[in-house]
Amino acid sequence: MSLTEIVDTIYEIILVVNQDGDVLFANKAAEKIRGQTPGEIIGKKLNEIIVTTPTKTGKPATQVLTLDQLDGLAQKGVPLELSLTFVAGVKKQIECRVSDILWEHHKAYLLALHDITDIRRIAQLTAEIKEKSRIDKLKDEFISIVSHEMRTPLTIIKGAVSNLKDGIIGPMTDKQLKVLDTTNRNVDRLARIINDLLDLSRLESGKAKIIRRKTNIKTAVDEVVLNFQNAAMEKNIAVLTDIPLDLPPVFADNDLIHQVLTNLVNNALRYAKQKITVQVVIDKDQNVRVGVIDDGEGIPKDKLGNLFNKFEQINRPTGGSGYKGTGLGLAISKQIITLHQGHIWADSDLGLGARFYFSLPVYHENDDFLVALENVIATAEKNKAKLSLLIISLSNMGKIADQSSEKDIAWMFADITREIRNKALRKSDFMHFKRDTREFVVMLPDTERDVAKKIAERVHNLTKDCFCPGRLGKIFVTLHIGVAVYPDDAHAAPQLLEKATKDVE
Amino acid sequence: MAKKKKVLVIDDEGDLIDIIKMRLEKAGFEVESALDGPLGIEKTASFKPDFILLDVSMPGMDGWDVCEQLKINPVTKDIKIIILTATRNLKRAKDVQADRVILKPFNYEEILDVLK
């Protein structure tokens, strides 16, 4: 490969310009500028090739890259950033570096033009994203502060109204009482909006704490339906439930699921004519799906998608002085269900009522443990500390299972757990038995790999001298231990577990 | 007639004090008030209330601090302190030995129930 070929292969544009501004050399990449070949470029003036608007300076734009500038750039050795318009109107950000050279015994300038359009674009996007999350944070803070500040005056108004209503100040006429009732109802409504806004902003910002546990959906549905029985009876509406007996538990925050159900049933109650059904099924993906079905007017298909937006209220019953919604219930419900890795959606046929559904993943033995692990990881992240994970499995589990009853095995695991906890672990360590894989998982907060390995060795030594736990008699337990360390090996709980499991093998 | 029970309301919201006062006086209590923590502690010494309704968020010395001070003082430790708060920090309430917590926004029935 000749030197010219090499220079022509380079992605950067290379130009040589003499002190009069004539182009003496251009590589192939220079075609990108005006669509002219190097042959066409050579002999032209630099200011015919590069028409620029220097950026950064903020001074009035000069239209050309002047010869004076070239000299200065070459002396200082710093790059100049240019905004250029290439052939076909393509806008480019170019970094231009200039060096003094000798070209056929005369002083000349070597210009290397490097395309930094993508780099600048990424920087700009990053800045935009940062700005957006800053604004989101400000918005959350704003809502939170405003809501809190609004509560105090509301409390005062409510108190004042109830002093009047209850005749503390003096007797009230019926008309006066009616006005006070209206006032009171709307103060309550405003309070609901504030509470909902606060809930929503907490959920959206991730500040809301969700505490997921093994939860029985049937109990939640029954409780919520019971809460609405009186209100439904007043409106002559029947609230029915249709729940299979063998429903598996879900992994959910009971209070939040209550809130979602309350929202949906409350909505249905406003639109239903005679009947609301809360139906629970196991769907084809083995999730628990809850449906709240009413026999009201229904919702036009084209409005279904917007339902879960903030302040979206369609077909809102007009007039009347009854209970009014906040327009935030479904947005809150959606946030809650999304936080549970579930789905929420609506379906309706005009005239045939509306059906609101949400589905939640079924509870697995491991769910609690994964959440615990996530929490420990979050703490480690916050404290910028390490976290080691041990996975301890029984290498001769097959043999043990062949020779022992389930009950004996359960005893054995209980014994091993106690033994390891008491003799090998420190106070701050957590140990968990994973039933599905029959492994022990040990979380070692604030622990580096070498220390974790020492602890693993301690566990190993326990089984060395005659460790035949429980009623298994002669069988010796042999352990295999795998180690993984946060954040070195993985950041998220499932990956960290996987790493440690691989280490066992 | 039995002697009137005495209630001290400590809150930086004068308006709120006014309406609570109206209500409690009507219900037969003798009511005094203070607009901040230090004044509240002074008033406690002179007024010797049976109950204190104590707001948490006050500028300067907050309700938790007021409660803690009153509860470590042998003279005032037996006065029943009812904390009024919008935040559900029940652990803090326990730490400062508050007798009851009423969440804002509250209704009077709740307060009157507690005072009985």
Side-chain angles (χ1 to χ4, degrees):
Chain A
M1 211 182 198
S2 73
L3 202 56
T4 321
E5 280 173 324
I6 291 173
V7 174
D8 276 345
T9 315
I10 296 176
Y11 181 75
E12 272 73 25
I13 297 166
I14 295 187
L15 299 171
V16 176
V17 180
N18 70 11
Q19 285 184 293
D20 298 327
D22 304 315
V23 177
L24 304 175
F25 173 83
N27 70 344
K28 198 159 187 329
E31 277 184 22
K32 285 185 280 193
I33 309 177
R34 319 242 114 212
Q36 295 165 323
T37 61
E40 291 168 318
I41 296 171
I42 292 168
K44 291 217 163 79
K45 290 280 182 198
L46 179 65
N47 60 15
E48 294 173 54
I49 306 298
I50 297 178
V51 181
T52 70
T53 311
T55 53
K56 277 185 180 171
T57 57
K59 286 177 196 161
T62 19
Q63 283 304 304
V64 288
L65 184 60
T66 63
L67 289 169
D68 291 348
Q69 266 180 312
L70 289 184
D71 208 48
L73 289 171
Q75 297 309 320
K76 281 185 230 145
V78 291
L80 176 72
E81 192 172 328
L82 306 164
S83 300
L84 300 185
T85 307
F86 276 18
V87 67
V90 181
K91 296 254 186 275
K92 290 282 186 189
Q93 281 304 114
I94 298 291
E95 190 177 80
C96 174
R97 283 178 187 275
V98 183
S99 333
D100 276 334
I101 57 165
L102 281 179
W103 186 267
E104 288 164 354
H105 311 294
H106 294 285
K107 187 182 169 187
Y109 303 105
L110 175 76
L111 279 67
L113 307 180
H114 179 53
D115 185 350
I116 54 167
T117 312
D118 289 345
I119 296 171
R120 284 291 173 265
R121 179 88 192 111
I122 290 166
Q124 193 193 342
L125 282 176
T126 313
E128 278 170 17
I129 290 166
K130 257 197 194 150
E131 178 63 9
K132 189 173 179 306
S133 60
R134 193 184 69 89
I135 290 172
D136 279 350
K137 210 177 145 220
L138 273 179
K139 185 199 77 185
D140 290 338
E141 271 171 26
F142 175 75
I143 291 178
S144 170
I145 291 168
V146 167
S147 315
H148 275 128
E149 287 303 313
M150 278 156 94
R151 271 192 182 153
T152 305
L154 264 184
T155 308
I156 295 169
I157 297 171
K158 201 169 158 51
V161 171
S162 63
N163 279 356
L164 287 169
K165 255 180 68 184
D166 298 348
I168 302 287
I169 322 291
M172 290 282 134
T173 67
D174 283 352
K175 267 191 180 163
Q176 284 168 334
L177 280 174
K178 202 168 167 238
V179 172
L180 290 174
D181 266 338
T182 311
T183 313
N184 207 21
R185 220 174 29 242
N186 284 284
V187 168
D188 284 346
R189 181 172 159 200
L190 194 51
R192 275 201 305 277
I193 295 176
I194 292 169
N195 284 340
D196 278 2
L197 265 178
L198 207 56
D199 274 0
L200 191 60
S201 92
R202 280 207 202 104
L203 286 164
E204 282 179 342
S205 66
K207 255 188 231 149
K209 255 205 181 142
I210 76 163
I211 304 159
R212 285 198 271 176
R213 292 210 176 85
K214 188 173 173 177
T215 300
N216 189 342
I217 275 283
K218 184 182 185 316
T219 318
V221 170
D222 286 345
E223 280 169 8
V224 170
V225 167
L226 189 68
N227 287 344
F228 278 104
Q229 270 330 332
N230 280 339
M233 242 158 27
E234 271 173 32
K235 297 182 78 177
N236 245 334
I237 292 169
V239 186
L240 312 171
T241 57
D242 176 6
I243 306 171
L245 286 173
D246 54 347
L247 198 66
V250 291
F251 189 53
D253 185 312
N254 198 34
D255 289 349
L256 291 179
I257 295 307
H258 248 262
Q259 197 176 344
V260 173
L261 278 166
T262 301
N263 255 320
L264 295 183
V265 176
N266 194 22
N267 282 349
L269 203 56
R270 277 189 282 152
Y271 299 107
K273 287 176 187 152
Q274 294 171 357
K275 192 175 81 170
I276 297 169
T277 311
V278 183
Q279 182 192 58
V280 185
V281 295
I282 311 286
D283 70 7
K284 60 176 175 14
D285 301 320
Q286 297 301 305
N287 294 321
V288 170
R289 193 189 77 193
V290 181
V292 178
I293 300 157
D294 70 56
D295 61 351
E297 273 307 307
I299 302 157
K301 287 261 187 235
D302 61 319
K303 296 275 172 64
L304 286 173
N306 302 332
L307 277 176
F308 297 91
N309 295 348
K310 283 173 227 180
F311 297 113
E312 196 74 38
Q313 285 184 312
I314 60 159
N315 285 356
R316 181 187 188 143
T318 45
S321 55
Y323 181 94
K324 295 223 171 43
T326 61
L328 291 167
L330 287 176
I332 291 173
S333 300
K334 183 173 180 165
Q335 283 290 333
I336 292 175
I337 297 298
T338 309
L339 279 175
H340 283 82
Q341 277 96 43
H343 297 283
I344 186 164
W345 69 99
D347 198 4
S348 177
D349 295 295
L350 215 52
L352 293 173
R355 303 176 289 280
F356 283 84
Y357 297 102
F358 65 88
S359 66
L360 293 170
V362 166
Y363 169 85
H364 289 288
E365 287 281 357
N366 270 338
D367 285 342
D368 287 322
F369 163 68
L370 272 178
V371 167
L373 182 55
E374 271 162 14
N375 285 339
V376 179
I377 290 177
T379 311
E381 191 184 351
K382 206 173 103 203
N383 301 338
K384 295 195 169 56
K386 299 248 171 164
L387 165 74
S388 291
L389 200 70
L390 300 182
I391 289 202
I392 306 170
S393 67
L394 276 62
S395 54
N396 55 341
M397 189 61 226
K399 196 173 159 198
I400 296 172
D402 285 345
Q403 299 180 7
S404 330
S405 70
E406 278 300 314
K407 207 171 168 189
D408 281 346
I409 292 174
W411 275 103
M412 173 190 78
F413 280 124
D415 273 3
I416 299 176
T417 307
R418 189 169 348 102
E419 194 77 355
I420 294 178
R421 253 200 203 124
N422 291 345
K423 295 187 180 163
L425 300 186
R426 304 156 303 181
K427 261 203 180 129
S428 53
D429 303 332
F430 306 93
M431 182 164 168
H432 171 86
F433 178 57
K434 256 178 98 211
R435 241 170 276 275
D436 56 340
T437 53
R438 291 184 153 159
E439 288 168 328
F440 301 96
V441 183
V442 181
M443 293 173 245
L444 309 167
D446 230 336
T447 305
E448 302 265 359
R449 193 185 305 271
D450 50 341
V451 179
K453 285 203 163 149
K454 268 185 204 138
I455 292 173
E457 210 177 297
R458 254 186 353 229
V459 175
H460 245 301
N461 289 339
L462 284 178
T463 56
K464 243 190 215 160
D465 28 82
C466 188
F467 187 52
C468 21
R471 315 169 182 174
L472 290 181
K474 274 169 264 147
I475 298 176
F476 281 79
V477 170
T478 49
L479 301 180
H480 275 181
I481 306 179
V483 185
V485 182
Y486 166 92
D488 307 0
D489 296 331
H491 283 261
Q495 282 80 346
L496 205 60
L497 268 179
E498 200 186 308
K499 259 300 206 271
T501 311
K502 277 215 178 111
D503 196 43
V504 174
E505 291 155 7
Chain B
M1 202 179 114
K3 201 166 158 277
K4 278 186 175 178
K5 291 270 184 197
K6 294 198 274 189
V7 182
L8 174 64
V9 186
I10 308 175
D11 197 313
D12 60 324
E13 291 282 346
D15 288 349
L16 192 63
I17 288 182
D18 286 347
I19 58 160
I20 292 179
K21 208 169 170 180
M22 269 179 215
R23 189 47 156 295
L24 295 185
E25 281 172 352
K26 185 84 178 180
F29 293 94
E30 187 182 342
V31 187
E32 284 279 338
S33 62
L35 280 166
D36 67 29
L39 282 176
I41 290 172
E42 258 175 51
K43 261 284 169 47
T44 307
S46 56
F47 180 55
K48 299 186 178 63
D50 301 288
F51 299 97
I52 295 175
L53 291 179
L54 177 57
D55 180 38
V56 166
S57 57
M58 290 185 289
M61 189 181 193
D62 70 15
W64 304 121
D65 295 340
V66 175
C67 185
E68 195 164 28
Q69 273 216 23
L70 292 173
K71 285 294 180 183
I72 50 173
N73 183 345
V75 182
T76 51
K77 75 175 173 43
D78 292 325
I79 300 170
K80 298 268 177 278
I81 298 183
I82 298 129
I83 299 260
L84 305 176
T85 172
T87 56
R88 286 155 206 259
N89 195 343
L90 298 181
K91 187 179 175 303
R92 187 78 196 270
K94 207 176 160 196
D95 288 346
V96 299
Q97 300 177 51
D99 295 278
R100 259 310 267 277
V101 173
I102 291 182
L103 291 175
K104 279 182 176 177
F106 51 81
N107 53 37
Y108 287 118
E109 283 64 36
E110 259 180 283
I111 295 182
L112 289 171
D113 269 358
V114 173
L115 297 184
K116 276 171 201 159

